[in-house]
């Protein structure tokens, strides 16, 4: 049956929520968009007149598509070149979804998205639907074809796994800017000690180049190792300019709600560095440089207002 305009409007009204769910489940904006589009095709082919609760129907279809995607994604990531990191979303991106509660904001943070990679597909789905979107366990059980009791057990297990691996501190936009300013001042000082003071003792640094941009296959571990790497990374050099294609502009912003540094060259985002902040200091520096995972960031950057760059790198 052909969809009426009312049917299309009902789907489009759900699209932002569906995209936000899919992004949290998949860690990829492009894959989230594909999953939502496939959900629309399923909606188009369905007998929608007999769908009692469209939101629940759409969410169930989307969630199961994402579960299938997660299963195949795990196999692909076994052959992924170097470290795999989620696709970052810059401040104001609608795919970040609801941000009314601390749980919703935390569920899309870069640190938590990395931790969600450790969960099974079902654990990830239950955690996201319950923690970020407040779906009752009864509805989650219906979406995943499990019992309500099983949904509750899976959620508690998933929440414990996530809680055990994080100690993130939620900060506002002004505080995030101060963190970035302090970090950049230390990183460009040419000295190691200022950076070491900002980092936690067990800090890590991870880069994702996807085999397309040079990135270390192993994480740097420990404050001193991270500080030395960052000092070298921000040190000007002809080889770096040649590699990137010029001297990118460096901006302070937030990505996934966390303090972030964005490098932009000729309007194209060439790197997003996310800083995980805890009460003890910066615990992780995660740098996304894979151009495939920066296409949405580039589009969003071009459409958004942003101030003057802090400086030009390299």
């Amino acid at each position: 049956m052909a969809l009426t305009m009312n049917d299309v409007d009902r789907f489009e009204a759900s699209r932002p929520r569906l995209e936000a769910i899919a992004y949290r489940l998949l860690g990829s904006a492009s894959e989230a968009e594909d999953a939502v589009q496939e959900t629309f095709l399923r909606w188009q082919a369905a007998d929608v007149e007999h769908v009692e609760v469209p939101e629940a129907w759409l969410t169930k279809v989307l969630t199961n598509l994402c579960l299938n995607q997660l299963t195949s994604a795990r196999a692909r990531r076994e052959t992924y070149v170097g470290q795999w990191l989620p696709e970052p979303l810059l401040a104001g991106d609608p795919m970040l979804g609801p941000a009314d509660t601390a749980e919703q904001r935390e569920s899309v943070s870069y640190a938590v998205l990395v931790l969600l990679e450790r969960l099974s597909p079902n654990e990830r789905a239950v955690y996201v639907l319950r923690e970020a979107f407040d779906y009752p366990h009864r509805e989650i059980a219906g979406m995943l074809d499990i019992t309500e009791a099983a949904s509750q057990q899976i959620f508690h297990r998933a929440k414990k796994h996530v809680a055990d691996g994080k100690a993130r501190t939620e900060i506002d936009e002004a505080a995030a800017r101060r963190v970035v300013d302090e970090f950049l001042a230390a990183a460009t000082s040419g000295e190691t000690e200022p950076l070491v003071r900002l980092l936690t003792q067990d800090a890590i640094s991870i880069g994702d180049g996807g085999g397309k941009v040079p990135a270390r296959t192993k994480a740097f571990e420990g404050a001193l190792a991270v500080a030395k790497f960052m000092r070298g990374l921000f040190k000007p050099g002809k080889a770096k300019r040649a590699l990137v294609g010029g001297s990118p502009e460096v901006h302070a912003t937030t990505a996934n709600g966390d303090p972030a540094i964005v490098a932009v060259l000729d309007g194209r985002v060439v790197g997003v560095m996310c800083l995980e902040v805890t009460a003890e200091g910066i615990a992780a520096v995660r740098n996304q440089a894979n151009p495939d995972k920066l296409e949405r960031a580039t589009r969003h950057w071009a459409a958004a207002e942003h101030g003057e760059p802090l400086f030009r790198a390299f």
Side-chain angles (χ1 to χ4, degrees), residues 9-36:
D9 288 344
R10 284 200 292 180
F11 180 86
E12 290 303 324
S14 294
R15 183 183 290 274
R17 177 181 53 81
L18 295 174
E19 287 189 344
I21 292 173
Y23 172 70
R24 284 166 168 81
L25 288 176
L26 300 173
S28 166
S30 58
E31 290 180 4
E33 290 173 339
D34 290 344
V36 172

Side-chain angles (χ1 to χ4, degrees), residues 76-243:
R76 291 199 309 274
R77 286 170 195 171
E78 289 179 2
T79 59
Y80 191 82
V81 179
Q83 299 280 344
W84 186 94
L85 288 174
E87 185 175 341
L89 297 182
L90 300 183
D93 192 313
M95 196 176 279
L96 288 169
D100 299 325
T101 67
E103 290 79 12
Q104 289 172 337
R105 292 188 294 273
E106 187 173 73
S107 70
V108 80
S109 73
Y110 219 53
V112 168
L113 287 178
V114 170
L115 289 169
L116 290 180
E117 287 295 309
R118 304 177 186 178
L119 304 182
S120 70
N122 259 20
E123 286 175 334
R124 188 163 182 161
V126 172
Y127 180 86
V128 166
L129 291 170
R130 180 62 182 161
E131 189 79 347
F133 295 90
D134 202 29
Y135 279 97
H137 283 291
R138 175 179 51 80
E139 291 186 26
I140 296 173
M143 292 176 195
L144 302 180
D145 295 322
I146 58 177
T147 66
E148 186 172 348
S151 176
Q152 292 171 338
Q153 291 171 355
I154 291 171
F155 174 70
H156 290 306
R157 185 168 64 245
K159 191 169 184 178
K160 184 178 186 302
H161 287 324
V162 173
D164 286 346
K166 68 175 178 62
R168 177 177 173 268
T169 298
E170 188 174 12
I171 57 179
D172 59 24
E173 187 174 344
R177 176 57 188 267
R178 289 194 297 272
V179 168
V180 170
D181 287 344
E182 290 179 8
F183 179 83
L184 287 174
T188 56
S189 69
E191 300 177 3
T192 302
E193 185 55 35
L195 268 171
V196 171
R197 288 197 296 267
L198 292 178
L199 299 165
T200 62
Q201 187 175 358
D202 59 350
I204 61 170
S205 174
I206 302 173
D208 180 348
K212 301 187 176 183
V213 174
R216 180 180 163 95
T217 56
K218 285 189 175 182
F220 288 93
E221 299 181 358
L224 184 59
V226 172
K228 287 181 176 179
F229 171 66
M230 288 297 151
R231 183 188 64 187
L233 182 65
F234 282 93
K235 185 177 180 180
K238 290 183 180 179
K240 293 174 186 173
R241 289 194 293 274
L243 180 66

Side-chain angles (χ1 to χ4, degrees), residues 239-269:
K240 293 174 186 173
R241 289 194 293 274
L243 180 66
V244 178
S247 298
E249 298 176 340
V250 175
H251 294 260
T253 185
T254 61
N256 295 73
D258 291 325
I261 300 159
V262 177
V264 183
L265 182 65
D266 299 331
R268 177 172 56 92
V269 175

